[in-house]
Amino acid sequence: MYFHFVNSQILYRKVTYLLRNFEFSRISFLNNNDLLSLAKFECMQRKLIWSIVIACLLGISILTVIFVKSGPKEEIDAVGAIPSDVALVVQIKNIGNAADVLGSDIDFWDRFSKLEMIEQCRHFIYNIDSVLRNDERFVEFRKNELFFVVNKLGINKLDFVFILSSKEHLKANLVKGVVEKAFHISNASEYEYKEETVYVYDDSSTVRRSLAFAVCDGLLILGESKVSVEASIRCYKDGNSLKNDHNFEKIKPNQSRISARIFMNYNKLAEVFQLYASNDFKARISKFPQIANWSVLDIATSEKNIRANGLITLDSLETEKDYLHLFSGQSAKKGEILSVLPYTTSYFVSVHISNKELFLDNYKLYLQKNNYYKNYENTIRDLNESFVKSFYKLIDSELAFAMTPAYVGSNKYENAYAICKVSSASDAEALLQERVGTSSAFQSTMGNEYRIFTLVDTLSNIPQKLFGNLFYRVSGTYAAVVDSYIVFANSEMALTTFIIDKDKDQVLTKNDNFRDFNDKVKSSYSLYAYIYMPQAIDVVKDFFGSAVNSVIDACSDTLQAMNSVSFQLIADSDSQYYSDFLCSFEKTKSNKPTFSWCFPLDSLVIGKPSMFVTHRSEFVTLVQDESYRIYMIQNNKKENRVLWSAQLDGPIIGDIHPVDIMKNHKQQYLFNTAKSIYLYYVNGEKPLNFPITLDAPATADIAVFDYDKNKKYRIAVPCADSTIRLYSLENGLCSSLQWNAKAEGVVRNELVHAASEGMDYIVYSDRYHIYIVNRKGEERVSVSEIIERGHHSAMVFDQGADATLSRFVTTDVDGIVKEIYLDGTVKSIDEFGKRSEHHIFIAEDIDDDGNLDYLFADESKLVVYQQSGKKMFSYSASNIITSLRVKTVGEKKYICLLDEKNKMYVLKSNGSMEKGFPMEGQSNFDIGVGDGSTNSFDVVVGGEQKMLYYYTVK
């Protein structure tokens, strides 16, 4: 009988997938006449790490890509060769088109093929395909069925067996020829086992490299270990296999049209996971009783999603020992608790209970069956039985564990929450007040008042003690009643942040990315677990040991392409349990930039945070809070920290100016308050004579002049006594200089310096006059008319082709453009129209044509003109615009607006709104390249509850 494969792509793909999991050193394949060496693995353990990482983090996605739709076929009794103690079985109903799927252009498949394991797998298949492509004997084989079996072998090793079925007896010699030709191996040793011949190929150059196979009637059994091959033969011969397992009976393979299925043995999967779990989680797994018995997942794929769903069975003999028995008699319901979770929730598990009394009875029975009930009784006694009974009575139908990204520098579980729905919010608060006693009032920014309860040690870990290890990351030290929910948190800051988000309706169900994903899952559920992978990689890593985590780090970009992953348990009143797994590979467009991280300050942010790149190429932010403390924060999304902080005597006026006073390419930061001038090095130190105390309060931002570009800085400070102080800043010393600049009134705008044809021009203005002086403060240009300059109008120098065309450009209080030429003449430009006295004017070349463009913001409208008078575009904000500036990031220019409600707008140079804007903030904001990327920029802004927030726009 001939061993037929449909064009070589079939055996290629089939065996490749199999053999990718077998590590052969020194085995090579010929492809296009080139000798291709397989990557040599140090040991079986390393290969298994790859497999488990993919299985656990990518879930069923990697195990299920190898299938396409196929028609029904007669059942092949391959299950009779699968031992009953295996951990995982993947059934592929038709392997004929597996190679086509592996070679397809599906988006998610292309992304995951970047993983070394998958790329090598595809490579193996293509080599096998090159061997089989032209052999007609293998055509029929594409209709055959494959079982991929994973089991734990010994103490710390996984083993893989592949069972290929056929309708008729296979000829061992033909199979032997195919295997040897495909893998370029020979010199098999043979021995008889249970009247079947086992072929073994050993590579003596390594310690553990082998391949074994046997042919039993219509089955090809192929594995790395001859022990596993013998086990399959033994099951097939003796009848002690999954086929005769009464627990497997309900989900055994059938004649359905499903292309691929996964069968999971929960008991054995826990043992497998222990091999790769972190020490902390390994200890917890060892204490876990059985979750369920077997489950089957039917696989369906689309270009952007993988879905797997099916039946879960409990132990038919001791059902009460299984965790899922807690949901016996429960009915899946539509949950409401998601509408209270924070907008930035990255991970949650929500439990819905339709029959609370029955659930508690099942929980106690579950504890008794697993010998945990005595500990539970002691816990109840410690908490006070009366309190526990009252608490249970209040609990309504939903519980949830949720996490948002942690504050930088804190424990990653700082923002972990336990949320319990209650039947009466007032009774819940009264119970906490009676039992806890210690509380404080908190008023949110929306004006609502809450009580923050601080729980004493005897009441610590209430969620975990009452509802199990789902909540073991929540100490519950702080609690509050929010709407109809009791919320437990690890810190007061985390709890108040939760409250503020809820009050402002910044909740998860308003997150477009989650909402789009949530529309694809079941609306009714008993348990719903969700993880947003881009923000939860570090949480995932907590489950694994260092070896697996090194793989996760290497593949983090690919893993994040998964976007969102969920698992749902659906129970019905007849104690039937169904699971639904969904993995989305599409990065859904969000109406907000991606939240990166946040940082807690001592008080609320004031002014504008400013982003810089230091001389050490470090990305930092300088920010001040309302206690007038300034912080330098390192912008590193993994290890953010305060590099230094210092107390100032007031709010910073204007911008922070980077300088290099020592002329050694090391950056310092210069700025002023009303009372003083400050200078700080990047390490937080300052020169001895700083700060400089001003004789009169400053009325505007300092101006920093570097006349000859030699870093001999001059600092000009307008003061309330109508004078302008001038300082020399050289070699770390600041000294006062005499100059003759005068003004009739108070100067409230920063001074401006320009040079043209070897002459310096320094410009400043009071209410009615514009002054143009030289370096000594002596009048250089007499302005020919009185100009009442706009309160928020910039003074910009526009260099002409010669001195006669060069001019300063500003606007008066009516918004009329004024051009002041170097001979003192003034030209009024009326074609841009008039505006209110509160208008903002700046001039920048935003279209890079070499000419200044004029930007006007008045009330809530921005209008941009070319210098010729041609209107480029306009934009209407939601509220009155209070800040307008142009920021260059990399090679791109962005127009940044802030309105009176602290809503942020970032427009591209063509007037189109940048993705994700406008967005909310609680201060002015800055943008910059916070991670060195040229394809994105970061946004830093002050937020609620003393937080500094960072977002990324890509």
Side-chain angles (χ1 to χ4, degrees), residues 455-501:
L455 279 64
V456 296
D457 290 344
T458 55
L459 289 178
S460 64
N461 301 104
I462 282 181
Q464 180 185 3
K465 290 176 179 177
L466 295 186
F467 302 109
N469 280 332
L470 171 62
F471 299 102
Y472 86 98
R473 293 291 189 181
V474 185
S475 65
T477 305
Y478 298 88
V481 178
V482 183
D483 289 353
S484 56
Y485 300 89
I486 295 180
V487 181
F488 296 91
N490 292 333
S491 70
E492 185 173 4
M493 180 179 291
L495 184 55
T496 55
T497 300
F498 186 105
I499 292 171
I500 289 169
D501 284 349

Side-chain angles (χ1 to χ4, degrees), residues 870-940:
K870 179 182 178 181
K871 182 178 177 180
M872 298 173 65
F873 58 84
S874 63
Y875 180 81
S876 294
S878 302
N879 307 286
I880 294 174
I881 297 171
T882 58
S883 174
L884 167 65
R885 66 186 185 280
V886 173
K887 182 72 180 283
T888 300
V889 179
E891 298 179 353
K892 298 180 180 179
K893 292 181 179 179
Y894 298 94
I895 302 169
C896 300
L897 305 176
L898 184 74
D899 71 21
E900 62 182 351
K901 300 292 186 181
N902 286 322
K903 184 174 287 188
M904 302 176 288
Y905 307 79
V906 176
L907 280 68
K908 299 176 183 178
S909 58
N910 62 4
S912 62
M913 183 64 67
E914 184 61 59
K915 174 186 135 180
F917 290 89
M919 61 181 293
E920 302 288 340
Q922 293 296 317
S923 74
N924 207 329
F925 70 102
D926 195 15
I927 65 174
V929 184
D931 60 359
S933 170
T934 58
N935 298 318
S936 66
F937 65 85
D938 281 5
V939 180
V940 57

